[in-house]
Amino acid sequence: MWLVAEGKTVQYAEDIYTITEREDGKAINLLCPTRHIYSRGDVLNLSTLSIDIEAQFDGVISLEVSHFTGALRHGPNFDLYSDGRPECDASISKSSKGTIISSGGLSATVHPDQHTFDIRFHATDGSKELTSLLNRSVGLAYSPAISSPKQVEDLRDLKHYIFTQTEIGVGESIHGLGERFGAFNKIGQSIEVWNEDGGTSSDQAYKNISFWMSSRGYGVFIDTPEKIDLEIGSERCCRLQTSVESQRLKWYLIYGPTPKEVLTKYSILTGKPGKVPAWSFGLWLSTSFTTNYDEETVSHFLEEMKTRLIPVEVFHFDCFWLRSFHWCDFVFDSKYFPDPAGQMSRLKSANLVNKISVWTNPYVGQASPIFAYAAEKGYLLKRENGDVWQWDLWQAGMGLVDFTNPEAVKWFEGCLESLYDLGVNCIKTDFGERIPTKGVKWFDPKVDPQRMHNFYAYMYNKIVYETLQKRYGKDQAVLFARTACAGTQRFPLCWGGDCESTPAALAESIRGGLSIGLSSFSSWSCDIGGFEGNPPPWIYKRWVAFGLLCSHSRLHGSNSYRVPWLIDDDDRSPGNCTEVLRTFVRLKRRLMPYLYSQAMQSCRMGWPTSLRACALEFPDDPTAWYLDRQFMVGEGILAAPVFTEAGDVEFYLPAGKWTSFWDGMTVQGPGRRRETHGFNSLPLYVREGTVLTLGKESGAEGEGFGYDWLEGGEVRLYCVKEGDKATMVDKEGEEIGVLVIGKDGGIEGTEEALKGDWGFWRISEL
């Protein structure tokens, strides 16, 4: 707390020397010397920091700290306000408390005393203080330390940092920052916002999102794709430090006041989650990674799944659909797949599967003929000396597609379109984290390699997603992406990466899904059963119960298959793997009227569908901010996965009445519960006031999850009151009508929203 780290020079903004209002009345500039100014001589031979505070739109204020403002603003930059920037109700005023800049419901007040560095963010009506920048909370740093200002003449041998330190309140918790697998509450953690291929068991993350949410009703989006170092109540227990190696640092403070409103405003800033088609909610089955498979293997798996009455919506061909050493040149290995177009057509026409997915990455192995072609055309990233950048990690001699080159993008799009011509419907956009930063030169000279490292994920996924939209329609595009940065929620969906087949990894995956949901990712999945290793039957079955309650559900492994009969040696006793998988696939299909309506709302509002943190629904319950072994499926259903073979599980029910989906038993929250569950169930509780619409658990051959659930089903009323409602959407996601509980307890709106044969049940009748 007292000493500066060895080898560092740190200078803090000490005074707020001048406050200048911008002409449009929407921003102020603070000139902040790095020592107190008491006389004319004090203004010489020192650094100043320029702080720009700007009203963005209702409840959002940005703050940018700059040292040398003449530094170039290199790209790439996040694509903000992609759907348009809302109007801003901004005002600037002065009072005895200082200079106040307001943006609707959020204000920032700058202390009136020049020698008191104090900037407070609070609700405009004064009802709530959110956070502050206080004494020695904004500054710059050099590494190594400098002994003379003349050393700054040449910055090539110096690292220059800008940092801010916002106050953390007593009892405040911090969440989000992408798909992070450690503790859900980030207090006490040191976090690098820097994409890495690190699995699910470390502090590294595939999807680093520069946005965090506070339990106090606000969030902060850090507007840079470069590496960000965060000390969250660690370097200073009462502060959250944000630092970047740059001449400037900009972030947006977003006030809800509810966490749902925070996410909605964040999604206005960085982009709404893309809409996902109904069929994508069905079961995805994979070849797995390094297993042996060919056309016969694939057909056998799908025929056997059909025999066992487990419909597969999407079949995924992982890496070895390609020739070894050729990844990724978009050519099927003819030794194993001699007729890919014919095979895909046969699988679909036989109603064994409805859609086909294949694996890709943005790398090109040297052994492939297209490597030489892409290198000659300038489609691959280069070193500063003009050589193609290559290494032997992952693919021997691989190069990286340079998406800053428009011609390279066109070529890559053409390669993808050739797959669609064969019958491929969706793409697994794997990798994209190992993007080099040293000694490389991108085609676009305006981009900074440090900023490209994280941002490459956005470019990669955007390009692939838009080719799918072009071929199949705006709302029919689906990815299975591993890497992401802020804004990538616009190109659904993503999955959690390489997890182990253990209960600890199951818990890691849940924390990762909860965490990324707090960055406006509406859709998320994981590798059911775990990716690494061979899951014992009990792990597989517990993971199936969890995985089929995620928005998207895929069976995928590394060196072993994930079809159920190979997990338990085709055990036929009650509770076997096949039975459990069939049970939860049918449950999810039955939930589709509710689930898809929730998904459409989530896409509009920037919320997670499932996994949804309980804190989003119960923000005033302090316990909810610490729940990382359970989640909400939409707004009305709470699920608690089981982590033991015996089935014992402990979970928490927030305030209100909760009814077991399975047997109709109603319990009163708040409180913790302990239960024991067999493999065909888990704690699944419906929230009071829920009008739950259920469809059919099975349908005609090949009908899949994109069925017409409006034709008939069940409406369950859980402890409802007047005004409780459910929105009905069709399989295209279009709103058909709203079911509303009337004064007499009856349901209004059934004529518009429902057709066919429907049953209606109150909880007392179940």
Side-chain angles (χ1 to χ4, degrees):
M1 182 170 175
W2 311 115
L3 302 178
V4 174
E6 184 177 350
K8 303 290 191 294
T9 295
V10 181
Q11 301 176 14
Y12 298 97
E14 300 282 8
D15 272 10
I16 300 176
Y17 188 67
T18 60
I19 302 175
T20 305
E21 183 177 335
R22 202 169 69 187
E23 289 184 1
D24 64 1
K26 295 183 178 180
I28 57 175
N29 172 268
L30 315 181
L31 178 61
C32 303
T34 53
R35 65 167 172 254
H36 292 301
I37 306 301
Y38 295 107
S39 67
R40 285 184 169 183
D42 291 337
V43 303
L44 304 175
N45 302 313
L46 82 165
S47 302
T48 61
L49 289 163
S50 176
I51 301 178
D52 292 295
I53 304 175
E54 181 178 359
Q56 293 286 332
F57 63 96
D58 184 15
V60 182
I61 288 177
S62 66
L63 180 142
E64 182 174 45
V65 182
S66 304
H67 182 203
F68 293 142
T69 59
L72 294 176
R73 291 182 179 267
H74 292 287
N77 298 296
F78 292 127
D79 181 17
L80 303 184
Y81 298 117
S82 57
D83 295 320
R85 182 171 175 173
E87 291 294 321
C88 180
D89 179 19
S91 66
I92 299 172
S93 60
K94 293 186 178 181
S95 72
S96 59
K97 295 181 179 180
T99 300
I100 304 169
I101 178 169
S102 299
S103 184
L106 174 65
S107 294
T109 298
V110 182
H111 199 281
D113 179 11
Q114 171 189 324
H115 302 307
T116 302
F117 191 92
D118 186 323
I119 304 170
R120 297 179 184 259
F121 295 89
H122 55 89
T124 298
D125 62 8
S127 61
K128 190 173 188 178
E129 185 166 313
L130 305 175
T131 189
S132 305
L133 293 166
L134 302 179
N135 180 49
R136 295 199 159 191
S137 63
V138 175
L140 63 97
Y142 290 105
S143 178
I146 62 172
S147 57
S148 167
K150 291 190 69 176
Q151 291 176 256
V152 181
E153 176 187 4
D154 186 352
L155 287 170
R156 287 176 294 180
D157 295 326
L158 289 173
K159 291 185 176 181
H160 180 283
Y161 299 89
I162 296 287
F163 64 86
T164 61
Q165 296 177 349
T166 50
E167 293 292 306
I168 298 173
V170 176
E172 183 175 358
S173 58
I174 303 296
H175 308 266
L177 292 166
E179 185 188 61
R180 314 206 79 87
F181 305 104
F184 183 50
N185 177 11
K186 308 307 181 210
I187 294 290
Q189 297 182 33
S190 300
I191 290 176
E192 280 190 352
V193 180
W194 190 249
N195 286 349
E196 294 281 9
D197 175 5
T200 70
S201 294
S202 75
D203 60 353
Q204 295 180 341
Y206 302 106
K207 306 170 191 69
N208 283 268
I209 312 300
S210 51
F211 171 75
W212 52 266
M213 178 181 286
S214 165
S215 60
R216 292 175 64 85
Y218 72 97
V220 171
F221 166 59
I222 307 158
D223 186 15
T224 178
E226 61 200 310
K227 180 187 285 188
I228 304 166
D229 286 298
L230 296 167
E231 297 285 348
I232 307 175
S234 47
E235 185 170 304
R236 288 287 303 278
C237 295
C238 61
R239 289 184 174 182
L240 192 159
Q241 177 172 286
T242 304
S243 61
V244 293
E245 186 183 343
S246 179
Q247 291 292 339
R248 53 179 64 89
L249 167 61
K250 184 174 184 178
W251 44 255
Y252 294 72
L253 193 140
I254 304 168
Y255 177 47
T258 69
K260 279 185 169 181
E261 290 172 294
V262 172
L263 278 188
T264 297
K265 292 174 183 179
Y266 169 75
S267 69
I268 290 172
L269 193 58
T270 62
K272 296 289 183 183
K275 182 179 175 181
V276 283
W279 56 259
S280 69
F281 286 73
L283 181 65
W284 295 52
L285 175 63
S286 163
T287 58
S288 290
F289 173 31
T290 59
T291 48
N292 292 317
Y293 51 86
D294 55 15
E295 180 173 344
E296 183 180 353
T297 311
V298 172
S299 297
H300 168 68
F301 281 170
L302 290 171
E303 288 166 356
E304 190 66 24
M305 292 288 276
K306 182 178 180 180
T307 299
R308 293 167 185 258
L309 304 179
I310 305 173
V312 176
E313 192 79 43
V314 183
F315 189 82
H316 171 70
F317 292 82
D318 215 51
C319 312
F320 282 95
W321 68 273
L322 296 151
R323 295 164 291 178
S324 297
F325 297 107
H326 285 229
W327 304 349
C328 177
D329 62 5
F330 304 94
V331 178
F332 271 84
D333 189 335
S334 60
K335 180 180 179 181
Y336 301 105
F337 303 102
D339 180 21
Q343 180 189 8
M344 293 181 211
S345 177
R346 289 189 291 272
L347 294 174
K348 292 175 181 177
S349 61
N351 292 321
L352 294 176
V353 70
N354 291 327
K355 306 291 181 182
I356 298 292
S357 165
V358 297
W359 177 95
T360 61
N361 66 196
Y363 314 137
V364 182
Q366 183 174 271
S368 172
I370 72 167
F371 177 89
Y373 173 82
E376 179 187 358
K377 291 291 187 179
Y379 296 163
L380 304 177
L381 176 65
K382 294 181 179 180
R383 299 186 187 275
E384 289 177 337
N385 66 1
D387 291 346
V388 171
W389 178 87
Q390 293 178 264
W391 68 6
D392 292 325
L393 182 61
W394 185 239
Q395 287 292 287
M398 55 164 262
L400 174 67
V401 180
D402 184 347
F403 290 132
T404 72
N405 182 343
E407 293 303 314
V409 172
K410 290 180 183 178
W411 167 74
F412 195 78
E413 290 172 340
C415 294
L416 292 166
E417 288 163 1
S418 69
L419 295 178
Y420 310 151
D421 292 340
L422 296 176
V424 172
N425 306 100
C426 29
I427 300 290
K428 175 181 174 180
T429 47
D430 204 356
F431 285 80
E433 304 92 1
R434 297 170 179 165
I435 308 303
T437 60
K438 297 177 181 178
V440 295
K441 183 179 181 181
W442 294 86
F443 176 84
D444 183 350
K446 298 187 297 297
V447 303
D448 179 348
Q450 290 287 330
R451 298 170 72 89
M452 278 297 296
H453 176 86
N454 285 342
F455 193 77
Y456 191 89
Y458 178 90
M459 301 179 77
Y460 171 34
N461 287 301
K462 180 177 186 287
I463 289 164
V464 180
Y465 187 77
E466 289 180 348
T467 64
L468 286 164
Q469 287 184 311
K470 180 180 177 182
R471 173 60 64 99
Y472 294 112
K474 179 176 180 292
D475 298 328
Q476 293 296 311
V478 180
L479 305 179
F480 233 85
R482 192 173 75 174
T483 188
C485 63
T488 316
Q489 70 270 10
R490 293 164 55 185
F491 319 119
L493 58 106
C494 62
W495 100 101
D498 300 348
C499 49
E500 297 175 314
S501 299
T502 64
L506 172 56
E508 291 162 7
S509 294
I510 293 170
R511 293 194 296 268
L514 291 171
S515 183
I516 198 167
L518 296 181
S519 299
S520 284
F521 282 73
S522 286
S523 304
W524 182 84
S525 186
C526 63
D527 290 340
I528 294 176
F531 176 72
E532 300 285 358
N534 297 284
W538 78 266
I539 284 283
Y540 179 88
K541 289 182 281 191
R542 295 304 185 193
W543 210 310
V544 161
F546 157 64
L548 267 297
L549 289 171
C550 299
S551 73
H552 291 76
S553 310
R554 185 181 70 161
L555 296 167
H556 180 63
S558 179
N559 58 0
S560 59
Y561 302 114
R562 291 293 179 267
V563 289
W565 59 90
L566 294 182
I567 301 294
D568 62 3
D569 295 324
D570 205 11
D571 178 24
R572 297 302 176 106
S573 63
N576 63 70
C577 289
T578 295
E579 177 189 303
V580 171
L581 180 59
R582 182 169 54 240
T583 295
F584 282 97
V585 170
R586 288 180 170 181
L587 170 65
K588 188 174 186 183
R589 191 180 193 274
R590 194 179 177 199
L591 286 170
M592 277 302 289
Y594 165 79
L595 188 58
Y596 203 51
S597 176
Q598 291 291 304
M600 294 302 98
Q601 180 191 49
S602 296
C603 291
R604 290 193 307 272
M605 304 303 290
W607 303 339
T609 304
S610 179
L611 309 183
R612 181 180 293 184
C614 291
L616 285 182
E617 295 297 330
F618 304 95
D620 296 329
D621 184 338
T623 300
W625 291 96
Y626 292 87
L627 299 176
D628 61 2
R629 297 194 303 276
Q630 61 187 69
F631 57 94
M632 300 294 294
V633 181
E635 62 189 5
I637 298 176
L638 183 148
V642 181
F643 299 94
T644 66
E645 183 174 9
D648 51 299
V649 56
E650 181 179 354
F651 59 99
Y652 175 82
L653 293 175
K657 294 179 181 178
W658 294 88
T659 304
S660 170
F661 178 85
W662 308 110
D663 61 14
M665 179 186 67
T666 299
V667 296
Q668 182 72 42
R672 292 195 172 273
R673 287 184 60 80
R674 290 185 175 91
E675 295 181 356
T676 302
H677 284 260
F679 291 115
N680 281 309
S681 68
L682 79 171
L684 196 64
Y685 279 82
V686 185
R687 184 180 185 178
E688 71 172 299
T690 298
V691 178
L692 183 62
T693 52
L694 300 172
K696 298 174 181 177
E697 66 178 24
S698 60
E701 188 175 280
E703 188 176 40
F705 270 54
Y707 67 99
D708 185 3
W709 48 73
L710 300 176
E711 285 290 349
E714 192 178 334
V715 179
R716 292 185 179 184
L717 309 179
Y718 287 88
C719 306
V720 295
K721 62 183 182 306
E722 181 185 353
D724 290 334
K725 60 186 178 181
T727 300
M728 295 295 294
V729 301
D730 62 18
K731 63 182 180 179
E732 305 302 327
E734 298 299 321
E735 184 175 322
I736 300 302
V738 181
L739 304 178
V740 183
I741 304 301
K743 290 183 179 180
D744 60 356
I747 306 176
E748 301 171 358
T750 56
E751 292 184 4
E752 297 81 10
L754 304 177
K755 55 185 178 180
D757 185 21
W758 285 82
F760 299 87
W761 307 91
R762 294 186 184 275
I763 189 57
S764 58
E765 300 176 79
L766 291 177

